[in-house]
Amino acid sequence: MEIAQAVQQIQPSYIREILAAASDKKVISLAGGLPDEQTFPLHLMKPTIDALTTLRDVFQYGPTAGYPPLIEYLTAAYQLPDTHQVITCTGSQQGLDLIARAYVNPNDTVAMEAPCYLGAMQVFGLAQANLVTVSQDRWGPNIEELELCFKTAAPKMFYAVPDFHNPTGVSWSLERRQQVAKLCNQYQVVFIEDAPYRELRFAGTPLPLVSDFCPDLSIVLRSMSKVASPGLRFGTVSGKRSYIAPLIKVKQGADLHSSLPVQAIILGLLQHPEFADHIGKIRELYRSRYDTLFEALQTYLPQGCHVNATEGGMFVWVTLPQCDTFALAKTLLANQVAVVPSPVFYPPSSQAPSALRLNFTNANPEELVTAVQRIAEVLDKTTFPFAIY
Amino acid sequence: MEIAQAVQQIQPSYIREILAAASDKKVISLAGGLPDEQTFPLHLMKPTIDALTTLRDVFQYGPTAGYPPLIEYLTAAYQLPDTHQVITCTGSQQGLDLIARAYVNPNDTVAMEAPCYLGAMQVFGLAQANLVTVSQDRWGPNIEELELCFKTAAPKMFYAVPDFHNPTGVSWSLERRQQVAKLCNQYQVVFIEDAPYRELRFAGTPLPLVSDFCPDLSIVLRSMSKVASPGLRFGTVSGKRSYIAPLIKVKQGADLHSSLPVQAIILGLLQHPEFADHIGKIRELYRSRYDTLFEALQTYLPQGCHVNATEGGMFVWVTLPQCDTFALAKTLLANQVAVVPSPVFYPPSSQAPSALRLNFTNANPEELVTAVQRIAEVLDKTTFPFAIY
């Protein structure tokens, strides 16, 4: 049976492959995007889990939009006006997929940052979107490029990760947030704000969502995967009711609704008086790991490498002298450290600068330092330009 | 933001609307497809749920194909050869959606029975398939029609519910199963076997899956929604590895993977020594409700109505003299009984015979009898043909 055209173009996921290779116990993996298992607040979920079988109604079919008591809680927590609504999804990844299915026809133009979250490229690729990209500087997307893109390519939407970007760690400045919202309003481009790392700020000042500056022209994706548990698969999508209604229609066909016992567990966790403290502890843990990684990179990396500082999230982006980063990643794997090379985060047709994404949330300080020493050792032996790009 | 073309054609779900109207406590609803909440084996899930927080790994990201210990269990339980594999989904509804997304291009032809499961029409509609239908008799799909359809329309796949069909309750005879498999082999049409009601046989002899007669040319969808809990959202898809691989690719973009704690709960339930007995009890309960409904229908319905007998599942199909069944369903709702009119189960362009789907699993015997009396009362007052069809 021939597979659909939309699926034929999906590349095998390099990250999945490297994660499989990295399962060797001797390899230190900085390749994944996994939170540390020890941060999962199982003790705060336990009271709800223990009482789960007394909530018989969550084991019955329920509304596509989500578990009503949780929807009520989130509506208040997100301070949504009556004109807006929130729905629950099987991870924010599903929310993104619903947006693409509800709004993107083949060849519709979607703007995104480059580099960009891999899962977003997969989703928009499956929707056969025409992807156009805008480069980043340390304060966010390049505004002149973005305006030119909006003017000449007239994208339907602009997808971005303004808080602790995956893979670069960039967090947009307040001014850049306002500028982007203004451009979206001016050119009537809907802003798709993906905020999975937003709670993981361990330095600097918390900033408003970009969507706060264009609330009627945006959709926000949130996730519990980084502060609670990715295995539960829980995320939300919120925005104007008229934007969300088509997502509900698609979700009804996609899976009727997401697991209700999972949503009951999430509600219990969000209402737990110790949950805010718990997030504080995760931030502290990740800050210290980031500090360790950053310091080791500054200490050991050879000249010509640049490390992007970050104020939160899970990733550090290291730019390198021009080289074949796939070949480099393979050499590093042979030296027992797993990283993700930059081209993975760019649409196939675009030119990726040489860089590596390093994750600092799922390795301990000793592993982080050893991993950097191994990377430095390989880079020291490398003559740049390394192979042909 | 204009919604995608594929979504513009989705009709609002009549069933969802009628279910909303039927939430009035005075209305007896035979409209839904809900199992009785009292059948949920919460006591058999409890040991796993109580131990859930000791299984830290199920709260981490996991493989897209499913929770490995559960996949191992299901591979053995389904007796899959090495050439085949099973994946887990957010309900079998998601499995169906993945099949449509992985294989159906716009205008690809998909064959199905008429009437047909509404959720399948939604999914294939979203994939913009060209739907062709084959009528049913009491032993299954009309074979001559099916062969003509395979010969002239050359569908890519044939989707069907051979066990206790939704909405007709028809269960295919052994001979019909073999005939369909033979035709699929002859015309190289992939058989999509949706088996959510298969465990709910309360009379007659268990029969092999249709796919047992064409294992290399079929995909099987199974669900735990009717024998365990629909709210958990758990189903599986199995078939040849080459058929399943594209589904995994699509699922990776769709939601990365389904909830792992849910899958751990399902594994615990399937391994519980009392689970088989529990299914026996559900069958017994539903058999007695079916008997009550069937007897009441035979007793009270006016001449000209015909009741399809069934050996399992959740639905009874009542054919009526020609009438506007939507108008009839509205009148019935005003008389405090909710049912689903037949056109809902047919593709928009086709002619539906006048009929009603009645559910017998989510009302008690007294309600079932009262509901039938109310239906009979309205029908008695109706002069057929009732309004213009």
Side-chain angles (χ1 to χ4, degrees):
Chain A
M1 185 161 50
E2 199 190 11
I3 62 173
Q5 279 146 22
V7 181
Q8 284 174 21
Q9 62 182 16
I10 303 179
Q11 304 297 316
S13 164
Y14 177 81
I15 290 201
R16 289 262 151 179
E17 278 171 35
I18 212 167
L19 286 180
S23 65
D24 180 342
K25 289 284 171 198
K26 288 182 201 153
V27 172
I28 299 174
S29 179
L30 310 187
L34 277 63
D36 189 316
E37 282 186 21
Q38 298 307 318
T39 66
F40 300 159
L42 303 181
H43 59 298
L44 305 184
M45 298 181 198
K46 200 169 184 312
T48 319
I49 291 174
D50 285 348
L52 209 52
T53 55
T54 67
L55 303 172
R56 194 169 283 268
D57 62 323
V58 303
F59 291 88
Q60 185 57 284
Y61 283 114
T64 302
Y67 180 48
L70 178 58
I71 295 296
E72 195 180 330
Y73 177 93
L74 294 172
T75 302
Y78 298 168
Q79 301 182 291
L80 298 181
D82 280 351
T83 49
H84 285 53
Q85 78 177 113
V86 54
I87 62 170
T88 61
C89 295
T90 308
S92 60
Q93 180 74 29
Q94 189 192 32
L96 191 54
D97 189 46
L98 294 176
I99 292 170
R101 294 179 77 182
Y103 290 107
V104 181
N105 293 307
N107 299 317
D108 276 358
T109 298
V110 172
M112 43 173 49
E113 297 162 288
C116 178
Y117 168 51
L118 185 61
M121 283 195 293
Q122 280 182 318
V123 159
F124 290 119
L126 206 53
Q128 300 178 278
N130 168 38
L131 296 181
V132 292
T133 61
V134 172
S135 71
Q136 272 187 334
D137 61 32
R138 56 177 292 199
W139 299 280
N142 184 310
I143 280 296
E144 282 171 22
E145 251 186 70
L146 189 67
E147 177 154 21
L148 189 66
C149 166
F150 283 8
K151 202 181 278 183
T152 57
K156 201 164 191 176
M157 55 182 73
F158 175 35
Y159 167 84
V161 182
D163 293 294
F164 322 117
H165 185 268
N166 175 2
T168 62
V170 166
S171 193
W172 298 8
S173 68
L174 179 62
E175 191 192 359
R176 202 59 68 85
R177 286 168 197 250
Q178 290 165 329
Q179 287 172 324
V180 169
K182 195 177 158 196
L183 282 183
C184 285
N185 274 317
Q186 188 178 337
Y187 291 92
Q188 290 294 296
V189 175
V190 178
F191 187 64
I192 310 298
E193 181 157 23
D194 195 359
Y197 312 109
R198 186 165 165 79
E199 285 76 22
L200 298 184
R201 175 179 285 281
F202 46 68
T205 315
L207 293 172
L209 288 167
V210 178
S211 302
D212 287 350
F213 302 111
C214 53
D216 291 334
L217 202 67
S218 58
I219 300 179
V220 183
L221 295 155
R222 291 173 173 93
S223 169
M224 289 289 275
S225 293
K226 318 307 184 217
V227 291
S229 148
L232 279 172
R233 308 303 304 123
F234 181 81
T236 69
V237 190
S238 57
K240 269 199 310 200
R241 286 181 188 278
S242 60
Y243 282 175
I244 302 298
L247 308 188
I248 298 175
K249 268 193 184 177
V250 177
K251 185 164 167 65
Q252 197 176 318
D255 61 10
L256 300 181
H257 61 81
S258 293
S259 177
L260 291 177
V262 166
Q263 295 182 57
I265 293 170
I266 294 291
L267 178 60
L269 180 63
L270 289 170
Q271 291 179 321
H272 198 293
E274 291 171 40
F275 185 55
D277 280 357
H278 174 77
I279 294 179
K281 283 179 201 158
I282 298 177
R283 284 189 196 119
E284 198 44 43
L285 176 73
Y286 290 170
R287 186 198 55 73
S288 85
R289 288 189 179 172
Y290 165 73
D291 287 348
T292 301
L293 178 66
F294 192 78
E295 200 186 303
L297 288 167
Q298 299 286 28
T299 307
Y300 297 108
L301 284 196
Q303 253 195 332
C305 303
H306 176 79
V307 186
N308 277 21
T310 184
E311 297 185 331
M314 301 172 69
F315 305 109
V316 164
W317 186 247
V318 180
T319 55
L320 307 170
Q322 199 189 340
C323 64
D324 178 342
T325 48
F326 274 113
L328 175 62
K330 268 192 191 164
T331 310
L332 289 172
L333 201 55
N335 285 266
Q336 299 176 344
V337 57
V339 300
V340 186
S342 51
V344 161
F345 304 105
Y346 287 78
S349 57
S350 60
Q351 277 287 53
S354 300
L356 302 175
R357 188 191 77 175
L358 308 183
N359 166 267
F360 54 81
T361 60
N362 199 32
N364 65 39
E366 197 187 334
E367 288 168 336
L368 288 168
V369 174
T370 308
V372 172
Q373 287 168 337
R374 288 177 189 172
I375 294 170
E377 218 169 281
V378 169
L379 288 175
D380 280 336
K381 284 186 208 147
T382 304
T383 315
F384 293 98
F386 172 67
I388 295 155
Y389 182 62
Chain B
M1 185 162 50
E2 199 189 14
I3 62 174
Q5 279 146 23
V7 181
Q8 283 174 20
Q9 60 181 17
I10 301 180
Q11 303 296 317
S13 165
Y14 177 81
I15 291 200
R16 289 261 152 179
E17 280 171 32
I18 213 167
L19 286 179
S23 67
D24 180 344
K25 288 284 173 197
K26 289 183 200 153
V27 172
I28 300 173
S29 178
L30 310 187
L34 277 63
D36 189 317
E37 282 186 23
Q38 298 307 318
T39 65
F40 301 159
L42 303 181
H43 58 297
L44 305 184
M45 297 180 198
K46 199 167 185 315
T48 318
I49 290 175
D50 285 348
L52 210 52
T53 54
T54 66
L55 303 172
R56 193 169 283 269
D57 61 324
V58 302
F59 291 87
Q60 185 57 283
Y61 283 114
T64 302
Y67 181 47
L70 177 58
I71 295 295
E72 195 181 329
Y73 178 93
L74 294 171
T75 302
Y78 298 168
Q79 301 183 291
L80 297 181
D82 280 351
T83 50
H84 285 54
Q85 79 175 112
V86 55
I87 62 169
T88 62
C89 296
T90 308
S92 61
Q93 181 74 31
Q94 190 192 32
L96 192 54
D97 189 47
L98 294 176
I99 291 170
R101 295 180 76 182
Y103 290 107
V104 180
N105 293 306
N107 300 316
D108 276 358
T109 299
V110 172
M112 41 172 53
E113 298 163 287
C116 177
Y117 168 52
L118 185 61
M121 283 194 293
Q122 281 182 318
V123 159
F124 290 119
L126 204 54
Q128 300 177 278
N130 167 39
L131 295 182
V132 292
T133 61
V134 173
S135 70
Q136 272 188 333
D137 61 31
R138 55 178 292 200
W139 299 282
N142 183 311
I143 281 296
E144 281 172 21
E145 251 185 70
L146 189 68
E147 177 154 19
L148 189 66
C149 165
F150 283 9
K151 204 182 274 180
T152 59
K156 201 163 192 176
M157 54 181 73
F158 174 36
Y159 167 83
V161 182
D163 293 294
F164 321 118
H165 184 267
N166 176 2
T168 63
V170 165
S171 191
W172 298 7
S173 68
L174 179 62
E175 193 192 358
R176 202 60 67 85
R177 286 168 196 250
Q178 290 166 328
Q179 286 170 326
V180 169
K182 197 178 155 193
L183 282 183
C184 284
N185 275 316
Q186 191 178 336
Y187 292 92
Q188 290 294 295
V189 175
V190 177
F191 187 64
I192 310 298
E193 182 158 24
D194 195 0
Y197 311 110
R198 188 167 165 78
E199 285 77 22
L200 297 183
R201 175 179 284 282
F202 47 67
T205 316
L207 293 172
L209 288 167
V210 178
S211 302
D212 287 351
F213 302 112
C214 53
D216 291 334
L217 203 66
S218 58
I219 299 178
V220 183
L221 294 154
R222 292 174 172 91
S223 170
M224 289 290 275
S225 293
K226 317 308 184 216
V227 292
S229 150
L232 279 172
R233 310 303 303 125
F234 181 82
T236 68
V237 190
S238 58
K240 268 198 311 198
R241 285 182 188 277
S242 60
Y243 282 175
I244 301 300
L247 308 188
I248 298 175
K249 267 192 184 177
V250 177
K251 187 167 165 62
Q252 197 177 317
D255 62 9
L256 301 182
H257 61 82
S258 293
S259 176
L260 292 177
V262 166
Q263 296 182 56
I265 294 170
I266 294 291
L267 177 60
L269 180 63
L270 289 170
Q271 290 178 321
H272 198 293
E274 289 170 41
F275 185 55
D277 279 358
H278 174 77
I279 295 180
K281 284 179 201 157
I282 298 178
R283 284 190 196 120
E284 197 46 44
L285 176 74
Y286 289 171
R287 185 197 55 72
S288 86
R289 289 190 177 171
Y290 166 73
D291 286 349
T292 301
L293 178 67
F294 191 78
E295 201 186 301
L297 289 167
Q298 298 286 25
T299 305
Y300 296 108
L301 285 196
Q303 255 195 329
C305 302
H306 176 79
V307 186
N308 278 18
T310 184
E311 297 184 330
M314 302 173 68
F315 304 109
V316 164
W317 186 246
V318 180
T319 55
L320 308 169
Q322 200 190 338
C323 64
D324 178 342
T325 49
F326 273 112
L328 176 62
K330 268 192 192 164
T331 311
L332 289 172
L333 201 56
N335 284 266
Q336 299 175 346
V337 57
V339 301
V340 186
S342 50
V344 162
F345 304 106
Y346 288 79
S349 57
S350 61
Q351 276 287 51
S354 299
L356 302 175
R357 188 193 75 174
L358 308 182
N359 166 266
F360 55 80
T361 60
N362 199 32
N364 65 38
E366 199 187 332
E367 290 168 333
L368 288 169
V369 173
T370 307
V372 173
Q373 287 167 339
R374 288 177 188 171
I375 295 170
E377 222 168 278
V378 169
L379 288 176
D380 281 336
K381 286 186 208 148
T382 304
T383 315
F384 293 99
F386 173 68
I388 294 154
Y389 184 62

